[in-house]
Amino acid sequence: MSAIVKSTSADDWDVSRVRQDFPILDQQVHGHPLAYLDNAATTQKPRTVIEAMDQYYRRDNANVHRGVHALAERATADFEAARESVRRFINARSIREVVFVRGTTEAINLVASSFGQGLHEGDEVILTAMEHHANIVPWQLLRERTGIVLRVLPITPAGELDRDALPALFTTRTRLLAMTHVSNALGTINPVKEVVAVAHEHGVPVLLDGAQALPHMRVDVQALDCDFYAFSGHKLFGPTGVGVLYGRERLLEAMPVYQGGGEMIRTVSFERTTFAGLPHRFEAGTPDIAGAIGLGRAIEYLEGLDWAAAQAYEHRLLEYATDRLKAIPGLRIIGEAADKVALVSFVMDDVHPHDMGTILDHRGLAVRAGHHCAMPVMTFYQVPATSRASMAFYNTVGEIDRLDAALRHARELLA
Ligand code: C6P
């Protein structure tokens, strides 16, 4: 008798059931059902996240790590439980490696500002040509302060990293490689594990911008062997205002503090201040307590999903959307990497992406139009902007059909 091997497929994903977890999806926009296709900008929140934050403010609100009263103890316990949820989710070795920040942008600024203090004139940082501004500008600011040199790994016309160009970028002065795991403008999933291995052969630590990766895949920072991993709660079905910097403990230990104030100290006198241990020494001031609790709940929600089925389903959405959009005359997809998340950036002849976005909005379709805070990518493709449909596991094939019809309508109207 042969064993029955069941492989997970997109059919195992019950999208109608999952949509019920997201109350915001059930609404009309301009007389049409909302089709929310702007998930790379921010994802929607499941009911359980909204309830966790509501309950915190209704029942437990207090400052953390300070009070001795019951509410303060509850708030502190829930806040630190959220940190443990993050640790488990990304498989960090210890909660000491999980620093709460405002989001990906602050996480990268923290590294540029603190780790960056150890960099000197002529030291080099490698970036890639598909970075979000959040992983460009902090390094330029550091360059202004210290005279470091930025080296940029190019991309190919398909929107993939030019891996062959990587080895030559390393020199004896390379101090860090900072790159995105998934491109927000192109959807490309970068071979980060491989890049980390190459960087480590050169003794160079790696920071990964995971803002667009975590919402689509499980990430294990130990398996990737990265040194820093940054992400935002709001792109991970959690609230705005909170994010995470994962850092390898050895590196965080050696880094100077980032901001000064309460929470991050051990003792203060006018002569001398000593600092708290990890991770609190990087968390000055009252943190976003409700945000962290909401993020912890979002992670618990995600852990309860059939992740393999969700990924297969998203992949089917991507293939379907790609095929449908490619068939529209005058439409060009920007970013055709072999490995992509469910995100399609495109331009249409003679139609400005902003006009396109407005027309789609009138049909209840939410997409983003613009440079997506990735202007070097736009320059590379010689376009001022693109329209971008970015999907999550709660989107449907029916919504893609509506996008297809609306794009054809826009073309008739404007082109
Ligand atoms: N991208 C988009 O629509 P914050 O704003 O800190 O949560 O995330 C910044 C950020 C960093 N890296 C990548 C790869 C990103 O995509 C983003 C945010 C949004 O594409 C807003 S521009």
Side-chain angles (χ1 to χ4, degrees):
M1 216 172 83
S2 66
I4 298 169
V5 180
K6 186 180 175 299
S7 68
T8 309
S9 87
D11 295 330
D12 296 321
W13 187 248
D14 187 349
V15 68
S16 333
R17 211 213 57 68
V18 168
R19 285 179 71 85
Q20 288 169 15
D21 295 337
F22 293 82
I24 202 171
L25 297 178
D26 183 20
Q27 65 172 289
Q28 302 274 313
V29 170
H30 301 306
H32 299 272
L34 168 67
Y36 186 76
L37 296 168
D38 195 16
N39 293 285
T42 197
T43 48
Q44 299 303 348
K45 323 305 171 200
R47 187 175 285 105
T48 181
V49 167
I50 300 166
E51 286 171 358
M53 297 175 74
D54 183 71
Q55 175 175 301
Y56 166 74
Y57 279 126
R58 283 177 190 277
R59 207 189 61 184
D60 303 324
N61 177 49
N63 213 326
V64 289
H65 305 135
R66 302 172 204 254
V68 288
H69 55 81
L71 267 58
E73 279 177 10
R74 284 210 299 263
T76 303
D78 289 353
F79 178 72
E80 290 301 330
R83 195 189 306 276
E84 167 57 21
S85 295
V86 172
R87 186 210 63 73
R88 190 178 62 238
F89 191 58
I90 60 172
N91 196 28
R93 290 166 203 83
S94 149
I95 53 164
R96 292 164 61 78
E97 299 182 318
V98 176
V99 179
F100 280 125
V101 288
R102 279 193 298 126
T104 309
T105 304
E106 188 178 36
I108 298 172
N109 274 278
L110 192 163
V111 177
S113 169
S114 170
F115 180 86
Q117 280 187 47
L119 270 51
H120 306 287
E121 188 173 354
D123 283 346
E124 296 173 10
V125 172
I126 301 175
L127 308 175
T128 83
M130 65 168 86
E131 296 311 312
H132 185 278
H133 299 164
N135 196 32
I136 300 173
V137 184
W139 305 108
Q140 290 175 331
L141 295 175
L142 181 65
R143 178 171 66 186
E144 274 170 32
R145 290 200 299 276
T146 62
I148 61 161
V149 175
L150 300 180
R151 295 169 69 98
V152 181
L153 179 62
I155 57 176
T156 67
E160 297 176 332
L161 293 179
D162 181 357
R163 288 193 234 180
D164 296 342
L166 181 62
L169 288 181
F170 291 96
T171 73
T172 53
R173 300 298 303 269
T174 313
R175 297 289 175 258
L176 185 75
L177 188 157
M179 65 178 284
T180 196
H181 190 167
V182 168
S183 159
N184 70 316
L186 304 168
T188 311
I189 303 174
N190 285 320
V192 287
K193 192 171 174 172
E194 207 180 301
V195 175
V196 169
V198 174
H200 284 180
E201 275 169 26
H202 292 84
V204 172
V206 177
L207 177 149
L208 296 177
D209 169 351
Q212 299 293 348
L214 266 185
H216 299 286
M217 64 190 76
R218 294 302 295 263
V219 167
D220 178 333
V221 291
Q222 291 191 59
L224 291 180
D225 203 23
C226 58
D227 301 279
F228 299 103
Y229 199 91
F231 65 94
S232 301
H234 72 98
K235 295 193 199 284
L236 193 61
F237 311 95
T240 50
V242 69
V244 170
L245 172 68
Y246 156 81
R248 197 187 284 280
E249 186 166 346
R250 179 174 49 78
L251 292 175
L252 289 179
E253 278 291 5
M255 281 161 52
V257 295
Y258 168 51
Q259 294 176 332
E263 295 275 342
M264 51 75 76
I265 54 90
R266 188 161 283 143
T267 61
V268 178
S269 72
F270 281 105
E271 288 69 42
R272 183 162 181 266
T273 292
T274 58
F275 301 117
L278 292 176
H280 301 111
R281 66 200 297 257
F282 289 112
E283 295 177 355
T286 301
D288 184 352
I289 305 164
I293 289 170
L295 174 58
R297 187 62 73 82
I299 285 173
E300 284 168 23
Y301 174 79
L302 293 172
E303 287 174 330
L305 299 178
D306 179 346
W307 207 254
Q311 274 192 297
Y313 177 79
E314 281 194 18
H315 192 70
R316 180 194 279 176
L317 283 181
L318 172 67
E319 286 190 332
Y320 188 75
T322 306
D323 289 349
R324 293 297 292 262
L325 267 58
K326 261 190 171 167
I328 299 175
L331 188 145
R332 177 160 71 104
I333 291 179
I334 304 289
E336 297 191 275
D339 208 4
K340 278 180 70 172
V341 297
L343 181 160
V344 187
S345 252
F346 56 92
V347 290
M348 191 182 271
D349 290 349
D350 306 322
V351 183
H352 193 280
H354 283 123
D355 297 335
M356 175 74 80
T358 307
I359 289 182
L360 297 184
D361 177 54
H362 280 103
R363 293 192 158 206
L365 294 147
V367 302
R368 185 167 171 197
H371 53 61
H372 314 297
C373 300
M375 286 175 98
V377 174
M378 303 297 123
T379 306
F380 178 77
Y381 286 100
Q382 298 183 326
V383 293
T386 73
S387 301
R388 183 186 70 184
S390 54
M391 291 154 267
F393 50 60
Y394 44 60
N395 289 118
T396 65
V397 165
E399 289 173 331
I400 307 300
D401 287 337
R402 285 175 54 202
L403 176 66
D404 179 18
L407 289 172
R408 289 174 186 274
H409 170 71
R411 186 175 154 70
E412 276 165 27
L413 221 61
L414 298 174

